[in-house]
Every structure is written in structure tokens, then in C-alpha cells.
Amino acid sequence: MIEAITGRYMRLELEGRAHRLYFEETGQGIPLLLLHTAGSDGRQWRGLLNDSEVTSRFRCVAFDMPWHGKSSPPEGWERETYQLTTARYTGMIMAVARALGLDRPVVMGCSIGGRIVLDLAAEHADHLRGVIGLQSAAFLSPYYDTSWLHHPHVHGGEVCGGIVSGLIGPHAPEASRWETLWHYMQGGPGVFRGDLHFYKREGDLRPKLARIDTKRCPVHMLTGNYDYSCKPEDTEATAAAIPGAKVQIMKGLGHFPMSEDYAALRPYLLPVLAEFQERG
């Protein structure tokens, strides 16, 4: 069987530098832009991209950020250290949406993607239909030494996979669990650590939450209860600071719901997507 997903490359300028980004898409209807987690890539959305109930109503697009997956770093990368920041992340997402002609997309992201959608809601509400944050919180206190994610004494890919392995829910199918970890083991040197610069150091979005108007940009937050990184109480505290934000805590799911067990995420996600379809 050949899947309906189409993979292509785009060339665009980000922060004055030429980039070649890889993206996959399928479906038709309301644009749904999908953001992968730190250190991984767009393959995490394989379950959703093959869900005909979603793709019959939404044009689903998942792209690999620069330095991730099939998207190479920009020219001259060997002379710099990769670090993701809030401004760089938001600017990249909006640039991709413009380049692909996505008219007021719904943006859904997980982990760092679930964090940055809050910035999008605060800064670009008029250009979005709304946002969905999986494992989303405005701030998380660092709980491990990220230097080990790119250190000469360890295998970078294996240590990245090892760190995230405990974040996967206990009921995840074995094949999905190990495919999720494989994506992490394939990450480029220092890329996971560079993403966590945003997630654990620079990207504290708590000061922006009061600016989010959910009447202009609806905010939905779905968090698995089996996650010691973004815990349910972290998501609930963030939602409490955003009047009108909607929260669901998902039983048995971990930090990568769309990748580790899409079938378990689906009953929570489909009603949220239906709300966006009804709004038009």
C-alpha cells in the first residue's frame, strides 16, 4: 500500500539566511500545521497524516525544522552552535505558513511545539484559527543537566533516546514506542540540547499569557497524565492564566501522544478538530 502522504522541499529565507526545509502533507480543507517535539522531526505525525477522518476535512502539513529530520542546517552551520529561541521559532512557523499559502491555519504542536503555540496565540491571533497544545505549559523548571545531550563521553543519539524513554506512556504499543525513540536516536549532534535552550532556559511564556484572547484565537490543551516533564498540573496552571482556554487530561498517555499511541490520542483530538470545523 502506498500512503497518500506527499513529501516535498521548500526553499525560504529565515532570519536573512537561505534554508531548504522538508515537509509532508496530505488532505484538504482547513489548514492544520503540525509541529514536532524537541530533537525529533515530522515523522511523529504519521498516525494523524494517515487518518482519513482528519484528512478529509483538514489540509495537514508537518515540517521538519532546520537542523531536524530531512531539513539541513543553513550554510555555515559548522561554525556555530544551534540554539532555538522564542522569536526564531515563532518567526519560522509563520514563514512556513506564508510560504505554503496556509490561510489562518490551526497550529498544533507537542512539547516545545505545545509551548510555542501559546506565543503564536499571543502574537499572531489574527493570522490563526486557533491553537492546540499537546503536553503544553508556559514554563517548566529544568530537572536534568542538558550538557549530557551533546558530550564526548556519551553516544549522543542513545543518550537522547534514553532521556525521553521514560516519558512514554506505559500502555504505548511497543512498535510505536521504539519508533518514537528511533527518531530521537537519529537527531543531529547538539540539536536536542539546542531545542531545550528554548524549552528550559529562554522560552518562559508566563508573562504573555494574559495577552491571549481566546475569542480571537481559541486555545485547546491536551496533556497525558503519564508525563513527569510536562505534568497535568503544569498544563492546568497555564490554562488557568488564559481565560477561556480548554483543557483535557488524557489517561495513560505520555509526552508524545501523537507518536507513541495515536489511537489513544484520537478520541480526545477529534472533538477538538470538530470544533474548529464548525467555526469555519
Side-chain angles (χ1 to χ4, degrees):
M1 182 186 74
I2 298 176
E3 297 178 0
I5 302 168
T6 300
R8 301 173 67 185
Y9 285 91
M10 73 176 93
R11 296 179 183 269
L12 74 166
E13 191 172 282
L14 299 173
E15 299 182 309
R17 302 176 72 180
H19 284 75
R20 183 171 182 257
L21 262 61
Y22 178 76
F23 69 99
E24 296 181 343
E25 71 170 303
T26 188
Q28 57 187 351
I30 297 170
L32 177 60
L33 187 57
L34 305 166
L35 312 177
H36 59 75
T37 65
S40 191
D41 57 65
R43 288 176 293 177
Q44 291 182 316
W45 295 101
R46 63 197 182 281
L48 184 147
L49 293 175
N50 281 297
D51 187 341
S52 60
E53 191 167 346
V54 175
T55 59
S56 64
R57 298 174 290 152
F58 291 85
R59 178 189 174 189
C60 304
V61 178
F63 73 97
D64 294 350
M65 293 199 299
W67 301 73
H68 298 71
K70 290 187 175 181
S71 294
S72 296
E75 184 178 345
W77 67 270
E78 69 278 7
R79 297 185 295 273
E80 62 189 90
T81 299
Y82 168 71
Q83 284 190 334
L84 184 66
T85 64
T86 303
R88 178 171 295 164
Y89 202 179
T90 295
M92 173 204 320
I93 294 164
M94 297 307 297
V96 168
R98 288 191 299 270
L100 295 178
L102 305 183
D103 178 28
R104 296 181 60 243
V106 177
V107 183
M108 176 162 58
C110 183
S111 188
I112 61 168
R115 169 85 57 85
I116 203 63
V117 298
L118 302 174
D119 192 66
L120 292 170
E123 301 289 349
H124 297 281
D126 292 337
H127 300 284
L128 306 173
R129 282 179 169 82
V131 300
I132 304 170
L134 307 180
Q135 311 309 123
S136 176
F139 175 78
L140 297 175
S141 298
Y143 60 91
Y144 60 84
D145 181 1
T146 59
S147 67
W148 284 102
L149 299 176
H150 184 43
H151 193 284
H153 292 167
V154 298
H155 184 285
E158 290 182 345
V159 75
C160 289
I163 283 179
V164 303
S165 63
L167 298 174
I168 297 174
H171 308 299
E174 281 295 292
S176 296
R177 172 190 299 276
W178 283 102
E179 188 170 0
T180 297
L181 296 179
W182 181 249
H183 298 161
Y184 269 89
M185 294 178 191
Q186 291 183 315
V191 172
F192 189 20
R193 186 178 69 178
D195 285 339
L196 294 183
H197 173 73
F198 159 72
Y199 197 54
K200 296 186 177 295
R201 295 181 182 273
E202 182 270 346
D204 182 353
L205 298 185
R206 289 176 294 184
K208 291 191 174 185
L209 298 182
R211 293 169 45 192
I212 297 176
D213 181 355
T214 54
K215 293 181 181 178
R216 294 167 59 208
C217 182
V219 175
H220 291 262
M221 306 174 78
L222 309 176
T223 291
N225 68 342
Y226 193 89
D227 184 355
Y228 57 81
S229 178
C230 177
K231 300 183 289 293
E233 52 264 37
D234 297 320
T235 297
E236 290 167 340
T238 297
I242 308 172
K246 297 182 179 180
V247 180
Q248 291 188 76
I249 304 303
M250 303 181 292
K251 295 182 179 179
L253 282 164
H255 195 69
F256 312 96
M258 72 290 189
S259 177
E260 67 182 58
D261 195 346
Y262 177 70
L265 167 65
R266 195 172 183 271
Y268 296 97
L269 179 60
L270 290 184
V272 174
L273 295 177
E275 285 192 33
F276 284 111
Q277 187 180 22
E278 290 170 6
R279 290 173 62 92

mmCIF file of all heavy atoms in Angstrom, residues 198-230:
data_model
loop_
_atom_site.group_PDB
_atom_site.id
_atom_site.type_symbol
_atom_site.label_atom_id
_atom_site.label_comp_id
_atom_site.label_asym_id
_atom_site.label_seq_id
_atom_site.Cartn_x
_atom_site.Cartn_y
_atom_site.Cartn_z
ATOM 1 N N PHE A 198 15.437 26.790 24.319
ATOM 2 C CA PHE A 198 14.136 27.459 24.336
ATOM 3 C C PHE A 198 13.249 26.901 25.445
ATOM 4 O O PHE A 198 12.647 27.651 26.218
ATOM 5 C CB PHE A 198 13.444 27.286 22.974
ATOM 6 C CG PHE A 198 11.950 27.467 23.016
ATOM 7 C CD1 PHE A 198 11.388 28.719 23.181
ATOM 8 C CD2 PHE A 198 11.100 26.355 22.916
ATOM 9 C CE1 PHE A 198 10.005 28.876 23.236
ATOM 10 C CE2 PHE A 198 9.730 26.505 22.968
ATOM 11 C CZ PHE A 198 9.174 27.779 23.126
ATOM 12 N N TYR A 199 13.198 25.585 25.556
ATOM 13 C CA TYR A 199 12.215 24.942 26.429
ATOM 14 C C TYR A 199 12.520 25.126 27.912
ATOM 15 O O TYR A 199 11.612 25.283 28.727
ATOM 16 C CB TYR A 199 12.162 23.457 26.092
ATOM 17 C CG TYR A 199 10.944 22.715 26.607
ATOM 18 C CD1 TYR A 199 9.662 23.162 26.325
ATOM 19 C CD2 TYR A 199 11.087 21.538 27.333
ATOM 20 C CE1 TYR A 199 8.549 22.469 26.767
ATOM 21 C CE2 TYR A 199 9.977 20.841 27.777
ATOM 22 C CZ TYR A 199 8.706 21.309 27.492
ATOM 23 O OH TYR A 199 7.608 20.624 27.938
ATOM 24 N N LYS A 200 13.794 25.116 28.251
ATOM 25 C CA LYS A 200 14.153 25.116 29.667
ATOM 26 C C LYS A 200 14.910 26.367 30.122
ATOM 27 O O LYS A 200 15.167 26.520 31.320
ATOM 28 C CB LYS A 200 14.984 23.873 30.004
ATOM 29 C CG LYS A 200 14.203 22.574 29.810
ATOM 30 C CD LYS A 200 14.985 21.382 30.275
ATOM 31 C CE LYS A 200 14.176 20.095 30.153
ATOM 32 N NZ LYS A 200 13.007 20.094 31.046
ATOM 33 N N ARG A 201 15.249 27.259 29.199
ATOM 34 C CA ARG A 201 16.010 28.437 29.594
ATOM 35 C C ARG A 201 15.357 29.730 29.105
ATOM 36 O O ARG A 201 14.876 30.535 29.882
ATOM 37 C CB ARG A 201 17.453 28.344 29.073
ATOM 38 C CG ARG A 201 18.243 27.194 29.692
ATOM 39 C CD ARG A 201 19.665 27.162 29.165
ATOM 40 N NE ARG A 201 20.419 26.038 29.725
ATOM 41 C CZ ARG A 201 21.083 26.079 30.864
ATOM 42 N NH1 ARG A 201 21.077 27.194 31.588
ATOM 43 N NH2 ARG A 201 21.742 25.015 31.306
ATOM 44 N N GLU A 202 15.337 29.924 27.782
ATOM 45 C CA GLU A 202 14.930 31.221 27.244
ATOM 46 C C GLU A 202 13.421 31.413 27.151
ATOM 47 O O GLU A 202 12.919 32.520 27.327
ATOM 48 C CB GLU A 202 15.583 31.404 25.854
ATOM 49 C CG GLU A 202 15.305 32.732 25.180
ATOM 50 C CD GLU A 202 14.057 32.711 24.312
ATOM 51 O OE1 GLU A 202 13.535 31.612 24.011
ATOM 52 O OE2 GLU A 202 13.589 33.800 23.946
ATOM 53 N N GLY A 203 12.673 30.320 26.876
ATOM 54 C CA GLY A 203 11.285 30.454 26.474
ATOM 55 C C GLY A 203 10.254 30.422 27.582
ATOM 56 O O GLY A 203 9.306 29.624 27.531
ATOM 57 N N ASP A 204 10.373 31.278 28.577
ATOM 58 C CA ASP A 204 9.363 31.384 29.639
ATOM 59 C C ASP A 204 8.243 32.291 29.129
ATOM 60 O O ASP A 204 8.417 33.504 28.997
ATOM 61 C CB ASP A 204 9.995 31.972 30.905
ATOM 62 C CG ASP A 204 9.014 32.061 32.071
ATOM 63 O OD1 ASP A 204 7.813 31.797 31.872
ATOM 64 O OD2 ASP A 204 9.464 32.419 33.180
ATOM 65 N N LEU A 205 7.091 31.709 28.841
ATOM 66 C CA LEU A 205 5.995 32.466 28.235
ATOM 67 C C LEU A 205 4.953 32.933 29.245
ATOM 68 O O LEU A 205 3.926 33.494 28.864
ATOM 69 C CB LEU A 205 5.312 31.623 27.150
ATOM 70 C CG LEU A 205 6.200 31.225 25.967
ATOM 71 C CD1 LEU A 205 5.374 30.510 24.905
ATOM 72 C CD2 LEU A 205 6.902 32.441 25.358
ATOM 73 N N ARG A 206 5.183 32.733 30.522
ATOM 74 C CA ARG A 206 4.200 33.147 31.527
ATOM 75 C C ARG A 206 3.814 34.621 31.429
ATOM 76 O O ARG A 206 2.628 34.945 31.571
ATOM 77 C CB ARG A 206 4.709 32.799 32.928
ATOM 78 C CG ARG A 206 4.707 31.301 33.216
ATOM 79 C CD ARG A 206 5.314 30.978 34.569
ATOM 80 N NE ARG A 206 6.744 31.300 34.606
ATOM 81 C CZ ARG A 206 7.528 31.039 35.636
ATOM 82 N NH1 ARG A 206 7.021 30.468 36.728
ATOM 83 N NH2 ARG A 206 8.817 31.332 35.590
ATOM 84 N N PRO A 207 4.763 35.526 31.142
ATOM 85 C CA PRO A 207 4.368 36.938 31.054
ATOM 86 C C PRO A 207 3.417 37.263 29.900
ATOM 87 O O PRO A 207 2.776 38.312 29.908
ATOM 88 C CB PRO A 207 5.712 37.662 30.874
ATOM 89 C CG PRO A 207 6.731 36.733 31.434
ATOM 90 C CD PRO A 207 6.222 35.370 31.089
ATOM 91 N N LYS A 208 3.330 36.374 28.906
ATOM 92 C CA LYS A 208 2.493 36.646 27.736
ATOM 93 C C LYS A 208 1.080 36.082 27.842
ATOM 94 O O LYS A 208 0.215 36.406 27.030
ATOM 95 C CB LYS A 208 3.152 36.086 26.475
ATOM 96 C CG LYS A 208 4.413 36.815 26.050
ATOM 97 C CD LYS A 208 4.844 36.373 24.665
ATOM 98 C CE LYS A 208 6.024 37.196 24.175
ATOM 99 N NZ LYS A 208 6.381 36.870 22.777
ATOM 100 N N LEU A 209 0.828 35.228 28.815
ATOM 101 C CA LEU A 209 -0.446 34.511 28.841
ATOM 102 C C LEU A 209 -1.646 35.440 28.960
ATOM 103 O O LEU A 209 -2.702 35.184 28.362
ATOM 104 C CB LEU A 209 -0.450 33.496 29.986
ATOM 105 C CG LEU A 209 0.615 32.399 29.908
ATOM 106 C CD1 LEU A 209 0.469 31.440 31.083
ATOM 107 C CD2 LEU A 209 0.533 31.634 28.588
ATOM 108 N N ALA A 210 -1.519 36.509 29.714
ATOM 109 C CA ALA A 210 -2.637 37.427 29.910
ATOM 110 C C ALA A 210 -3.038 38.138 28.622
ATOM 111 O O ALA A 210 -4.146 38.669 28.530
ATOM 112 C CB ALA A 210 -2.293 38.451 30.988
ATOM 113 N N ARG A 211 -2.146 38.132 27.644
ATOM 114 C CA ARG A 211 -2.435 38.798 26.368
ATOM 115 C C ARG A 211 -3.234 37.914 25.413
ATOM 116 O O ARG A 211 -3.703 38.391 24.379
ATOM 117 C CB ARG A 211 -1.130 39.216 25.699
ATOM 118 C CG ARG A 211 -0.383 40.302 26.447
ATOM 119 C CD ARG A 211 1.015 40.478 25.899
ATOM 120 N NE ARG A 211 1.049 40.515 24.443
ATOM 121 C CZ ARG A 211 2.175 40.432 23.726
ATOM 122 N NH1 ARG A 211 3.336 40.278 24.362
ATOM 123 N NH2 ARG A 211 2.137 40.470 22.418
ATOM 124 N N ILE A 212 -3.381 36.648 25.719
ATOM 125 C CA ILE A 212 -4.080 35.732 24.812
ATOM 126 C C ILE A 212 -5.586 35.934 24.929
ATOM 127 O O ILE A 212 -6.160 35.857 26.020
ATOM 128 C CB ILE A 212 -3.712 34.271 25.118
ATOM 129 C CG1 ILE A 212 -2.206 34.044 24.881
ATOM 130 C CG2 ILE A 212 -4.537 33.315 24.266
ATOM 131 C CD1 ILE A 212 -1.726 32.663 25.251
ATOM 132 N N ASP A 213 -6.229 36.196 23.799
ATOM 133 C CA ASP A 213 -7.681 36.379 23.725
ATOM 134 C C ASP A 213 -8.270 35.154 23.030
ATOM 135 O O ASP A 213 -8.164 35.019 21.811
ATOM 136 C CB ASP A 213 -7.998 37.658 22.949
ATOM 137 C CG ASP A 213 -9.498 37.940 22.856
ATOM 138 O OD1 ASP A 213 -10.301 37.090 23.306
ATOM 139 O OD2 ASP A 213 -9.858 38.998 22.320
ATOM 140 N N THR A 214 -8.863 34.260 23.781
ATOM 141 C CA THR A 214 -9.355 33.007 23.205
ATOM 142 C C THR A 214 -10.604 33.207 22.341
ATOM 143 O O THR A 214 -11.010 32.281 21.632
ATOM 144 C CB THR A 214 -9.657 31.984 24.304
ATOM 145 O OG1 THR A 214 -10.555 32.553 25.262
ATOM 146 C CG2 THR A 214 -8.369 31.562 25.015
ATOM 147 N N LYS A 215 -11.205 34.403 22.388
ATOM 148 C CA LYS A 215 -12.307 34.679 21.468
ATOM 149 C C LYS A 215 -11.770 34.920 20.060
ATOM 150 O O LYS A 215 -12.448 34.633 19.075
ATOM 151 C CB LYS A 215 -13.093 35.890 21.952
ATOM 152 C CG LYS A 215 -13.843 35.647 23.258
ATOM 153 C CD LYS A 215 -14.624 36.877 23.698
ATOM 154 C CE LYS A 215 -15.352 36.605 25.014
ATOM 155 N NZ LYS A 215 -16.088 37.816 25.499
ATOM 156 N N ARG A 216 -10.567 35.452 19.985
ATOM 157 C CA ARG A 216 -9.922 35.662 18.687
ATOM 158 C C ARG A 216 -9.154 34.426 18.256
ATOM 159 O O ARG A 216 -9.106 34.099 17.053
ATOM 160 C CB ARG A 216 -8.969 36.853 18.763
ATOM 161 C CG ARG A 216 -9.638 38.188 18.999
ATOM 162 C CD ARG A 216 -8.608 39.240 19.367
ATOM 163 N NE ARG A 216 -7.594 39.397 18.323
ATOM 164 C CZ ARG A 216 -6.352 39.804 18.554
ATOM 165 N NH1 ARG A 216 -5.952 40.042 19.799
ATOM 166 N NH2 ARG A 216 -5.504 39.944 17.560
ATOM 167 N N CYS A 217 -8.523 33.752 19.213
ATOM 168 C CA CYS A 217 -7.685 32.588 18.907
ATOM 169 C C CYS A 217 -7.937 31.522 19.970
ATOM 170 O O CYS A 217 -7.310 31.545 21.041
ATOM 171 C CB CYS A 217 -6.212 32.993 18.883
ATOM 172 S SG CYS A 217 -5.083 31.646 18.457
ATOM 173 N N PRO A 218 -8.860 30.599 19.730
ATOM 174 C CA PRO A 218 -9.149 29.554 20.719
ATOM 175 C C PRO A 218 -7.903 28.740 21.067
ATOM 176 O O PRO A 218 -7.062 28.462 20.206
ATOM 177 C CB PRO A 218 -10.191 28.682 20.020
ATOM 178 C CG PRO A 218 -10.819 29.585 19.008
ATOM 179 C CD PRO A 218 -9.724 30.497 18.545
ATOM 180 N N VAL A 219 -7.804 28.367 22.342
ATOM 181 C CA VAL A 219 -6.670 27.596 22.838
ATOM 182 C C VAL A 219 -7.181 26.299 23.453
ATOM 183 O O VAL A 219 -7.978 26.325 24.397
ATOM 184 C CB VAL A 219 -5.866 28.390 23.886
ATOM 185 C CG1 VAL A 219 -4.762 27.511 24.489
ATOM 186 C CG2 VAL A 219 -5.271 29.643 23.275
ATOM 187 N N HIS A 220 -6.718 25.177 22.917
ATOM 188 C CA HIS A 220 -7.036 23.859 23.464
ATOM 189 C C HIS A 220 -5.743 23.216 23.934
ATOM 190 O O HIS A 220 -4.715 23.264 23.244
ATOM 191 C CB HIS A 220 -7.689 22.959 22.409
ATOM 192 C CG HIS A 220 -9.068 23.385 22.027
ATOM 193 N ND1 HIS A 220 -10.196 22.812 22.571
ATOM 194 C CD2 HIS A 220 -9.501 24.329 21.143
ATOM 195 C CE1 HIS A 220 -11.266 23.384 22.048
ATOM 196 N NE2 HIS A 220 -10.866 24.304 21.182
ATOM 197 N N MET A 221 -5.784 22.583 25.100
ATOM 198 C CA MET A 221 -4.599 21.954 25.671
ATOM 199 C C MET A 221 -4.937 20.526 26.074
ATOM 200 O O MET A 221 -5.870 20.289 26.841
ATOM 201 C CB MET A 221 -4.102 22.764 26.872
ATOM 202 C CG MET A 221 -3.863 24.232 26.530
ATOM 203 S SD MET A 221 -3.451 25.258 27.958
ATOM 204 C CE MET A 221 -1.737 24.812 28.159
ATOM 205 N N LEU A 222 -4.178 19.559 25.530
ATOM 206 C CA LEU A 222 -4.389 18.142 25.794
ATOM 207 C C LEU A 222 -3.096 17.563 26.363
ATOM 208 O O LEU A 222 -2.051 17.594 25.699
ATOM 209 C CB LEU A 222 -4.753 17.390 24.504
ATOM 210 C CG LEU A 222 -5.892 17.952 23.653
ATOM 211 C CD1 LEU A 222 -6.048 17.139 22.374
ATOM 212 C CD2 LEU A 222 -7.190 17.953 24.436
ATOM 213 N N THR A 223 -3.151 17.056 27.579
ATOM 214 C CA THR A 223 -1.948 16.570 28.241
ATOM 215 C C THR A 223 -2.150 15.173 28.810
ATOM 216 O O THR A 223 -3.136 14.921 29.509
ATOM 217 C CB THR A 223 -1.529 17.538 29.372
ATOM 218 O OG1 THR A 223 -1.061 18.753 28.786
ATOM 219 C CG2 THR A 223 -0.422 16.956 30.239
ATOM 220 N N GLY A 224 -1.220 14.284 28.503
ATOM 221 C CA GLY A 224 -1.251 12.943 29.059
ATOM 222 C C GLY A 224 -0.861 12.952 30.526
ATOM 223 O O GLY A 224 0.007 13.723 30.945
ATOM 224 N N ASN A 225 -1.509 12.107 31.290
ATOM 225 C CA ASN A 225 -1.227 12.105 32.739
ATOM 226 C C ASN A 225 0.043 11.331 33.088
ATOM 227 O O ASN A 225 0.497 11.379 34.222
ATOM 228 C CB ASN A 225 -2.420 11.552 33.524
ATOM 229 C CG ASN A 225 -2.661 10.064 33.295
ATOM 230 O OD1 ASN A 225 -2.165 9.488 32.321
ATOM 231 N ND2 ASN A 225 -3.434 9.441 34.171
ATOM 232 N N TYR A 226 0.624 10.632 32.100
ATOM 233 C CA TYR A 226 1.862 9.894 32.358
ATOM 234 C C TYR A 226 3.015 10.689 31.754
ATOM 235 O O TYR A 226 3.540 10.368 30.682
ATOM 236 C CB TYR A 226 1.793 8.491 31.763
ATOM 237 C CG TYR A 226 2.902 7.574 32.244
ATOM 238 C CD1 TYR A 226 2.742 6.800 33.383
ATOM 239 C CD2 TYR A 226 4.109 7.494 31.558
ATOM 240 C CE1 TYR A 226 3.758 5.964 33.826
ATOM 241 C CE2 TYR A 226 5.132 6.666 31.992
ATOM 242 C CZ TYR A 226 4.948 5.907 33.127
ATOM 243 O OH TYR A 226 5.964 5.083 33.573
ATOM 244 N N ASP A 227 3.406 11.743 32.435
ATOM 245 C CA ASP A 227 4.445 12.617 31.921
ATOM 246 C C ASP A 227 5.030 13.395 33.085
ATOM 247 O O ASP A 227 4.351 14.222 33.687
ATOM 248 C CB ASP A 227 3.863 13.577 30.871
ATOM 249 C CG ASP A 227 4.917 14.455 30.210
ATOM 250 O OD1 ASP A 227 6.086 14.395 30.612
ATOM 251 O OD2 ASP A 227 4.549 15.207 29.294
ATOM 252 N N TYR A 228 6.279 13.138 33.405
ATOM 253 C CA TYR A 228 6.894 13.873 34.504
ATOM 254 C C TYR A 228 7.654 15.098 34.003
ATOM 255 O O TYR A 228 8.275 15.818 34.791
ATOM 256 C CB TYR A 228 7.828 12.972 35.320
ATOM 257 C CG TYR A 228 8.950 12.309 34.544
ATOM 258 C CD1 TYR A 228 10.115 13.004 34.236
ATOM 259 C CD2 TYR A 228 8.833 10.992 34.129
ATOM 260 C CE1 TYR A 228 11.143 12.402 33.531
ATOM 261 C CE2 TYR A 228 9.859 10.376 33.424
ATOM 262 C CZ TYR A 228 11.011 11.076 33.133
ATOM 263 O OH TYR A 228 12.022 10.474 32.437
ATOM 264 N N SER A 229 7.614 15.362 32.691
ATOM 265 C CA SER A 229 8.211 16.575 32.145
ATOM 266 C C SER A 229 7.171 17.697 32.169
ATOM 267 O O SER A 229 7.286 18.644 32.938
ATOM 268 C CB SER A 229 8.720 16.335 30.726
ATOM 269 O OG SER A 229 9.259 17.515 30.182
ATOM 270 N N CYS A 230 6.144 17.568 31.346
ATOM 271 C CA CYS A 230 5.004 18.485 31.412
ATOM 272 C C CYS A 230 3.884 17.753 32.134
ATOM 273 O O CYS A 230 3.148 16.970 31.536
ATOM 274 C CB CYS A 230 4.574 18.916 30.016
ATOM 275 S SG CYS A 230 3.112 19.974 30.003
#
